[in-house]
Amino acid sequence: MKEEETEVWSPKPFHGPNQWPSEDLLPGWRETMEKYHEQVLRAGRKIIRLLALALNLEMTYFEKPGVMDSPMAYIRLLHYSGEVSIPEKGIYGAGAHSDYGMITLLATDGVPGLQICRDKDASPQVWEDVQPVPGAFVVNLGDMLERWSNGLFRSTLHRVILTGEERYSIAFFLDPNFDCLVECLPACCSLSNPPKYPPITSGHYLIERYKLSYKN
Ligand code: OGA
Ligand code: NI
């Protein structure tokens, strides 16, 4: 890599610059994506206000400086082929997982496939289809929120089972600032229910999770 190219990279993980295809190749792409990002982020912030209210916190609790003012907020564009999933053989569109961060807003094209498991500790696990609702997002809670709320909120275990139809979806992952300390929320612990997890920064939590999932 040439020296002037390395300069644009920020030293912070998850904060590299976007790499856009040229305007000639995909006219309007960057503008569309940036507009989508701005609007989906706005929707995500509103949902986070609702989470604060649900936790008996001030509606603007997560809007304090250092929490979500420089969020890690990224979009994953997904295309699933027309292959048929065979769960018994371990063939999935996406295997069972919960998202790592705080919340995910998922827009789908209406092709079924997404399933959730309401009780991830049950054995055997029971999977339910999520019916696509036109114009609506599916909102999944992530593991970082489960940790932050001391297990009060459970992250959503989900997977994608393909039925032979091509499928597109857009996942928007919204996580606190890299340096935000994720420490048991005051409304989620008491003397009889002490914090289950030590404090960790949002960025380091994600780095640890990625390390675990990519180690072989
Ligand atoms: C994900 C995810 C589901 C979907 O990207 O984490 O779960 O419907 N996507 O594509
Ligand atoms: Ni997911």
Side-chain angles (χ1 to χ4, degrees):
M1 201 183 266
K2 283 187 287 171
E3 215 162 271
E4 61 269 26
E5 281 173 339
T6 58
E7 277 173 12
V8 296
W9 286 96
S10 143
K12 233 179 222 184
F14 309 122
H15 287 72
N18 288 316
Q19 297 180 64
W20 299 105
S22 76
E23 189 59 25
D24 294 346
L25 199 62
L26 275 179
W29 176 260
R30 177 172 182 165
E31 194 192 334
T32 304
M33 291 310 300
E34 287 182 339
K35 202 177 275 176
Y36 184 75
H37 188 272
E38 184 193 318
Q39 295 193 2
V40 75
L41 174 58
R42 200 175 308 154
R45 288 191 189 284
K46 287 190 180 165
I47 291 166
I48 287 174
R49 285 185 159 204
L50 299 179
L51 293 177
L53 291 176
L55 289 166
N56 286 328
L57 299 167
E58 287 278 302
M59 183 172 77
T60 53
Y61 184 87
F62 295 105
E63 292 167 23
K64 284 187 297 199
V67 180
M68 304 280 305
D69 43 7
S70 182
M72 293 185 282
Y74 46 98
I75 289 172
R76 180 185 290 161
L77 299 170
L78 292 140
H79 171 225
Y80 300 91
S81 72
E83 189 184 16
V84 180
S85 298
I86 315 170
E88 309 80 63
K89 289 196 177 159
I91 301 171
Y92 301 97
H97 68 281
S98 44
D99 297 342
Y100 296 165
M102 189 177 187
I103 58 169
T104 308
L105 276 68
L106 187 65
T108 74
D109 62 358
V111 174
L114 182 66
Q115 296 187 325
I116 58 158
C117 171
R118 280 179 202 262
D119 182 0
K120 53 190 174 183
D121 300 325
S123 173
Q125 288 174 334
V126 179
W127 290 94
E128 291 172 53
D129 291 323
V130 177
Q131 299 305 333
V133 178
F137 290 111
V138 173
V139 179
N140 280 326
L141 304 185
D143 299 332
M144 199 189 305
L145 184 62
E146 179 167 325
R147 179 177 173 126
W148 215 353
S149 67
N150 211 21
L152 188 65
F153 283 132
R154 309 293 318 272
S155 57
T156 324
L157 188 66
H158 55 285
R159 67 182 190 181
V160 177
I161 300 291
L162 299 169
T163 55
E165 220 180 325
E166 253 186 305
R167 183 172 183 274
Y168 290 87
S169 66
I170 307 173
F172 172 68
F173 302 95
L174 180 53
D175 306 333
N177 294 8
F178 187 91
D179 294 315
C180 169
L181 197 63
V182 175
E183 180 174 27
C184 183
L185 292 162
C188 302
C189 56
S190 62
L191 277 179
S192 58
N193 179 30
K196 297 182 179 75
Y197 313 93
I200 189 168
T201 62
S202 164
H204 282 99
Y205 177 75
L206 289 183
I207 288 171
E208 286 307 309
R209 294 298 306 270
Y210 281 111
K211 260 196 221 154
L212 283 176
S213 70
Y214 290 109
K215 98 172 170 204
N216 38 24

